[in-house]
Amino acid sequence: MKEVSKMIRTLVLLCTLCISLQGFAISEGGDQGAVDTKDEVDAYIQHHIKDAHDFHLFSYTGDNGERKHVGFPLPVILWSSNGLATFMSSEFHHDDAGKVIVEKGGSKFVKLHSKIYELNAGASEVQFDDHHHAENAAKVLDFSITKSVFGVLLVGLLMLWAFSSLAKQYASKKIPTGFGRVLEPLVIYVRDEIAKPNIGEKKYRQFTGYLLTVFFFIWILNLLGLTPFGFNVTGQLAVTAALAIFTLVIYTFSGNKDYWMHMLWMPGVPFLIRPILAIIELAGAFVIKPFSLLVRLFANISAGHIVVMSLIAIMFTLKKSLGVVGATGLSLVLSFFITLIEVLVAFLQAYIFTMLSALFIGMAVAEHDHDHEQDAKGHEVPDAEDVRGDFI
């Protein structure tokens, strides 16, 4: 019990520290000064959930009135009209309004609304139209290591190291030790509670590796999103769309004859209705299913970040009515409890994405014309197809 109590106290301390750091980052964020007004808070939150070319932790004003930023840069890799150009994002000096110009490889680059543009030949500054769009600059092919890319690479390396260590332990011992004891129950859970029931005993093994990868990848990235570093990888449409496309490709190319027969020429219904049903089934398989996967993960994670940061912003938006102490206390209490909920949501969204992926794969590989197995008393034993039917 003492160890459990100590662990709980440590988790509470870490969560409070994370909230405090995030609040400090907001209070000192921005290029012009502290974020105080509602419009400034809204703009900061919208900027926070976007991808970025560097890690910006917080800013402060020096003794000479100069604005200083604390963070670390990331590599910028661009393909412009003059070929490849590489440099560190620190050369933009945290500018996001197109004021700082970086000259590399015979091209001039500016950063505007988290996007990098190349100025037209002969241009010395960005010119804007009535809608604040750049008139004399064009977007370039951006292969930069952004925060999201850095997060993907970091989690990929962590998973490679962790599961390689677990695999080596199984080669020499029956029961894993150390961190392997934490991973083993989660691996067994995904295998026995997600893969087997939805795909079936015969074919679950060939898809379990993908399901494990997706589950841990999403879960760890969701947890990283709760840290003060500003990760919002699973809140980026490009990332969730890529994961959904992976699932789409797997169940499309793994589909058996029964799957395509029921989709294209459904048996047991009138012939005139079959083409209509085929269109609906194709739309469901190629549009609705992957769309539901990507939107559910993207929307829930982004909404969670917005809620947490909005509650933190209470200490600024309500400090006149509640006072500094009252607004700060209310903000910290609400932020702490919503962060605890977000820890649960991080696991839940990984579970839902993996469960639906297993369900879609199981529907594609299921054999529809078969006899049910029976137990010793002659009762039918539910199989994977029955489980999927009950789930739907």
Side-chain angles (χ1 to χ4, degrees):
M1 290 299 295
K2 292 183 178 179
E3 293 182 359
V4 174
S5 300
K6 185 177 179 181
M7 185 179 297
I8 293 175
R9 288 197 299 268
T10 303
L11 289 174
V12 171
L13 179 62
L14 288 175
C15 290
T16 305
L17 178 61
C18 289
I19 292 172
S20 302
L21 287 173
Q22 286 182 338
F24 183 64
I26 292 179
S27 65
E28 299 294 339
D31 295 328
Q32 303 300 326
V35 178
D36 292 325
T37 65
K38 181 179 181 301
D39 292 337
E40 290 174 339
V41 169
D42 292 340
Y44 187 91
I45 292 175
Q46 293 300 321
H47 178 76
H48 172 81
I49 63 176
K50 293 181 180 179
D51 200 3
H53 288 82
D54 59 1
F55 280 90
H56 175 238
L57 300 180
F58 61 90
S59 303
Y60 65 95
T61 302
D63 296 335
N64 57 356
E66 183 182 357
R67 198 68 177 160
K68 297 183 181 296
H69 305 277
V70 176
F72 54 91
L74 293 171
V76 176
I77 306 171
L78 307 173
W79 185 264
S80 65
S81 59
N82 294 311
L84 185 66
T86 60
F87 53 93
M88 298 300 292
S89 60
S90 56
E91 297 199 29
F92 284 117
H93 301 289
H94 298 274
D95 175 63
D96 198 42
K99 297 179 181 178
V100 177
I101 299 176
V102 177
E103 297 188 26
K104 291 291 179 181
S107 300
K108 297 179 180 180
F109 303 101
V110 295
K111 188 154 69 76
L112 181 64
H113 305 312
S114 300
K115 304 292 183 181
I116 297 179
Y117 292 78
E118 180 185 4
L119 292 177
N120 296 340
S124 58
E125 63 179 8
V126 184
Q127 297 178 354
F128 300 97
D129 57 17
D130 297 335
H131 301 286
H132 201 67
H133 295 154
E135 290 184 322
N136 61 339
K139 291 182 181 179
V140 294
L141 290 177
D142 194 347
F143 304 100
S144 304
I145 307 298
T146 61
K147 282 200 303 185
S148 295
V149 176
F150 182 83
V152 170
L153 295 175
L154 176 63
V155 172
L157 291 175
L158 287 175
M159 290 175 59
L160 182 62
W161 168 77
F163 288 103
S164 297
S165 301
L166 181 61
K168 290 180 180 178
Q169 290 192 37
Y170 277 123
S172 58
K173 60 185 73 172
K174 293 183 179 180
I175 300 177
T177 57
F179 190 66
R181 285 194 174 185
V182 179
L183 290 177
E184 186 184 44
L186 295 171
V187 171
I188 294 175
Y189 176 80
V190 173
R191 184 195 67 184
D192 293 345
E193 301 298 329
I194 298 179
K196 279 186 180 180
N198 290 283
I199 301 177
E201 291 282 348
K202 297 180 180 179
K203 299 183 179 180
Y204 80 92
R205 287 183 176 274
Q206 65 186 100
F207 303 105
T208 301
Y210 170 72
L211 297 177
L212 285 170
T213 302
V214 168
F215 175 80
F216 283 98
F217 181 78
I218 296 175
W219 185 31
I220 298 174
L221 283 175
N222 289 347
L223 292 177
L224 280 179
L226 300 177
T227 64
F229 294 102
F231 281 108
N232 186 30
V233 181
T234 47
Q236 306 295 329
L237 269 177
V239 175
T240 59
L243 294 173
I245 290 173
F246 284 141
T247 299
L248 168 65
V249 171
I250 289 174
Y251 71 69
T252 297
F253 286 95
S254 300
N256 56 24
K257 181 177 66 176
D258 291 332
Y259 172 73
W260 291 107
M261 179 62 69
H262 281 71
M263 182 183 297
L264 301 176
W265 201 247
M266 188 174 296
V269 298
F271 286 94
L272 294 177
I273 301 179
R274 292 184 182 184
I276 300 175
L277 292 178
I279 295 174
I280 296 174
E281 290 290 331
L282 288 172
F286 291 101
V287 179
I288 298 175
K289 288 179 181 178
F291 185 76
S292 66
L293 286 175
L294 73 92
V295 168
R296 180 181 289 104
L297 180 59
F298 160 76
N300 281 281
I301 299 303
S302 295
H305 284 228
I306 293 173
V307 170
V308 171
M309 297 195 69
S310 298
L311 292 176
I312 294 173
I314 287 177
M315 68 177 68
F316 313 113
T317 56
L318 296 182
K319 66 181 179 181
K320 291 184 179 180
S321 57
L322 299 179
V324 175
V325 176
T328 302
L330 179 62
S331 173
L332 289 177
V333 170
L334 294 178
S335 301
F336 173 74
F337 284 108
I338 201 67
T339 301
L340 294 181
I341 295 175
E342 283 299 306
V343 173
L344 175 62
V345 172
F347 176 84
L348 185 61
Q349 290 305 315
Y351 168 79
I352 291 175
F353 192 100
T354 309
M355 172 66 76
L356 290 177
S357 296
L359 179 67
F360 297 155
I361 294 171
M363 294 169 65
V365 301
E367 297 177 0
H368 297 273
D369 298 326
H370 65 283
D371 297 327
H372 284 75
E373 296 182 2
Q374 296 182 345
D375 56 18
K377 297 182 180 181
H379 299 130
E380 290 184 348
V381 178
D383 58 7
E385 187 176 344
D386 297 324
V387 175
R388 287 190 295 271
D390 294 338
F391 182 85
I392 296 172

